[in-house]
């Protein structure tokens, strides 16, 4: 009996030691993993990414957790491809462009809302079409067939009761480069265009286009995030602490831009992350709502998917609620939002309200 007890004691020690070694190994892997954040020295509305780098917010949040990160300069149009290739782990992008890719198997998870707005729709100044609904049956120019501006246009058409998608869609899509779209509209090649700032703002001034929809002012879209942060779903599961640090940093950086749009524009220009006039850029940043939120971001994803599935744009989703749950990550120990204080510090905040902009 004594011999059996001794054997059991030895076995217990071995098991305990094995568990400690395993835990130590996991902790070591966690601390040694380098979380790769995709960023780009372009894109006005990417200001929170830039601010998180330039103001040391990424360094602070990852440093407090004892974790490593690096930023990777990328072409933002290739961000999801780079996530799939494991070249980057997280980034931000236009939610309307990302959701259809997720329907086709892109394994990313949304994390937080960055800002509303930045997409506008125009007709020529002398156009007979007065509203977006008047463009029924017309050819509309977009910067890509799956661009978020197409998704916004389709969703609005469905609201009007028109056919927004498929072979019987009641508008035609014409694809042009972003900077070529204003020329196409001015020359009459299309009757309307969907543009993102700052191209939208400049085209409106230079060509005298008339705006028929502004997502910062629209009753529906002003309550949804245009750009959102996301992470590889696999990375979020394997490295939750890294993911939390990323979310906290972006929430704080977004809050900074919301409070200090002109200063954010100046920082972007000073660090060669944006060109143009600081006053113009600061004005545009101020017209978007950079109030960050996790809860409202999840609602944005839910509402967009709900409508896109009903429209037939997303054809591989059988359970909407499960799809949202599988593609949105939130953490109990990460606040919903932050407020940037006058002294540059940040305070945790609850679910904010998104005010409709009036430009």
């Amino acid at each position: 009996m004594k011999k059996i007890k001794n054997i059991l004691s030895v076995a217990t020690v071995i098991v305990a030691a094995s568990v400690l070694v395993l835990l130590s190994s996991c902790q070591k892997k966690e601390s040694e993993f380098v979380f790769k954040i995709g960023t780009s020295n372009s894109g006005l509305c990417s200001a929170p990414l830039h601010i998180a780098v330039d103001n040391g917010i990424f360094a602070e949040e990852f440093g407090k957790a004892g974790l490593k990160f690096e930023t990777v300069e990328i072409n933002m149009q290739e961000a999801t491809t780079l996530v799939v290739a494991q070249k980057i782990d997280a980034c931000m992008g236009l939610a309307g462009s990302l959701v259809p890719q997720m329907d086709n198997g892109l394994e990313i998870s949304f994390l937080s809302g960055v800002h509303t707005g930045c997409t506008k729709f125009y007709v020529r100044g002398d156009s007979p079409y007065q509203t977006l609904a008047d463009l029924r049956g017309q050819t509309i120019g977009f910067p890509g067939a799956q661009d978020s501006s197409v998704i916004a246009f389709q969703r609005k058409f469905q609201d009007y009761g028109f056919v927004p998608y498929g072979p019987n869609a009641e508008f035609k899509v014409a694809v042009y480069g972003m900077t070529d779209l204003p020329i196409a509209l001015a020359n009459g090649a299309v009757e309307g265009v969907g543009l993102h700032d700052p191209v939208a703002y400049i085209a409106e001034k230079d060509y005298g286009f008339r705006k028929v929809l502004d997502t910062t002012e629209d009753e529906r879209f002003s309550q949804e995030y245009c750009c959102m942060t996301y992470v590889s779903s696999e990375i979020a599961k394997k490295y939750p602490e890294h993911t939390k640090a990323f979310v906290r940093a972006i929430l704080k950086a977004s809050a900074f831009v919301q409070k200090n749009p002109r200063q954010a524009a100046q920082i972007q220009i000073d660090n060669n992350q944006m060109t143009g006039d600081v006053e113009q850029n600061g004005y545009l940043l101020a017209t978007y709502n950079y109030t960050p939120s996790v809860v409202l971001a999840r609602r944005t994803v839910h509402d967009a998917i709900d409508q896109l599935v009903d429209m037939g744009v997303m054809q591989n989703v059988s359970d909407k609620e499960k799809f949202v749950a599988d593609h949105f990550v939130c953490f109990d120990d990460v606040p919903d939002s932050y407020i940037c204080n006058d002294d540059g510090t940040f305070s945790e905040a609850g679910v904010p309200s998104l005010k409709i902009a009036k430009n």
Side-chain angles (χ1 to χ4, degrees):
M1 179 63 73
K2 186 176 180 180
K3 186 176 181 181
I4 292 174
K5 287 183 177 179
N6 288 338
I7 293 173
L8 288 174
S9 297
V10 171
T12 301
V13 170
I14 291 173
V15 170
S18 299
V19 170
L20 288 173
V21 169
L22 182 60
L23 288 173
S24 175
S25 176
C26 289
Q27 290 171 352
K28 186 177 181 181
K29 288 180 180 179
E30 181 87 8
S31 63
E32 290 182 352
F33 176 73
V34 180
F35 189 86
K36 300 178 290 296
I37 302 167
T39 186
S40 174
N41 286 338
S42 64
L44 179 65
C45 67
S46 296
L49 272 177
H50 301 149
I51 295 300
V53 174
D54 301 333
N55 285 11
I57 303 177
F58 279 142
E60 179 183 2
E61 291 300 322
F62 280 87
K64 284 191 300 187
L67 302 172
K68 298 177 181 179
F69 81 97
E70 67 179 11
T71 55
V72 181
E73 182 69 17
I74 65 170
N75 178 341
M76 296 296 274
Q77 303 300 317
E78 300 174 353
T80 55
T81 301
L82 295 173
V83 169
V84 172
Q86 300 181 344
K87 300 297 184 182
I88 63 172
D89 301 312
C91 196
M92 63 172 279
L94 293 157
S97 298
L98 294 168
V99 169
Q101 296 180 61
M102 294 161 68
D103 184 48
N104 292 320
L106 176 64
E107 284 299 325
I108 61 171
S109 296
F110 288 112
L111 297 167
S112 66
V114 178
H115 69 84
T116 65
C118 93
T119 303
K120 302 175 175 69
F121 298 85
Y122 294 97
V123 295
R124 289 182 297 278
D126 60 355
S127 172
Y129 307 113
Q130 301 300 311
T131 69
L132 197 77
D134 294 337
L135 291 172
R136 185 181 191 181
Q138 302 304 313
T139 299
I140 313 301
F142 298 97
Q146 289 191 322
D147 186 73
S148 63
S149 58
V150 179
I151 299 298
F153 195 95
Q154 289 171 327
R155 293 180 66 191
K156 204 64 183 175
F157 253 41
Q158 189 189 49
D159 289 344
Y160 294 139
F162 304 157
V163 179
Y165 179 76
N168 298 318
E170 296 184 83
F171 73 97
K172 298 176 183 177
V173 175
V175 176
Y176 292 84
M178 180 71 76
T179 55
D180 293 328
L181 280 166
I183 300 172
L185 180 58
N187 291 343
V190 294
E191 292 299 333
V193 292
L195 297 170
H196 304 299
D197 282 326
V199 174
Y201 176 83
I202 295 170
E204 182 179 345
K205 297 293 184 183
D206 289 352
Y207 290 90
F209 294 155
R210 181 156 35 82
K211 192 164 51 181
V212 291
L213 177 66
D214 185 333
T215 55
T216 63
E217 300 174 357
D218 180 73
E219 185 175 353
R220 173 198 285 275
F221 294 126
S222 66
Q223 302 304 298
E224 296 183 358
Y225 287 106
C226 175
C227 286
M228 298 176 61
T229 55
Y230 62 89
V231 64
S232 157
S233 297
E234 180 182 3
I235 293 298
K237 293 175 183 176
K238 285 186 176 180
Y239 302 102
E241 297 306 318
H242 290 76
T243 306
K244 292 176 189 178
F246 175 71
V247 178
R248 290 191 191 99
I250 290 294
L251 289 173
K252 289 181 177 180
S254 297
F256 179 91
V257 178
Q258 175 66 13
K259 184 173 180 61
N260 308 290
R262 190 192 181 283
Q263 185 179 352
Q266 186 67 64
I267 290 172
Q268 285 183 296
I269 290 176
D270 289 345
N271 288 278
N272 299 315
Q273 293 154 328
M274 195 63 201
T275 58
D277 176 72
V278 67
E279 297 299 334
Q280 174 183 291
N281 292 358
Y283 165 78
L284 287 172
L285 290 177
T287 64
Y288 315 143
N289 192 332
Y290 273 94
T291 303
S293 173
V294 174
V295 170
L296 296 183
R298 194 181 193 283
R299 190 176 73 187
T300 294
V301 174
H302 177 277
D303 291 351
I305 287 173
D306 183 56
Q307 191 172 17
L308 292 175
V309 171
D310 290 347
M311 286 164 48
V313 174
M314 299 181 72
Q315 300 180 357
N316 299 313
V317 178
S318 58
D319 187 331
K320 298 176 186 176
E321 298 298 330
K322 185 178 185 303
F323 188 87
V324 174
D326 290 345
H327 293 86
F328 198 98
V329 178
C330 53
F331 303 97
D332 291 339
D333 52 349
V334 174
D336 182 73
S337 186
Y338 282 99
I339 295 173
C340 183
N341 302 312
D342 291 339
D343 62 359
T345 61
F346 298 93
S347 298
E348 294 184 8
V351 182
S353 61
L354 299 177
K355 297 178 181 178
I356 298 177
K358 293 297 181 184
N359 302 333

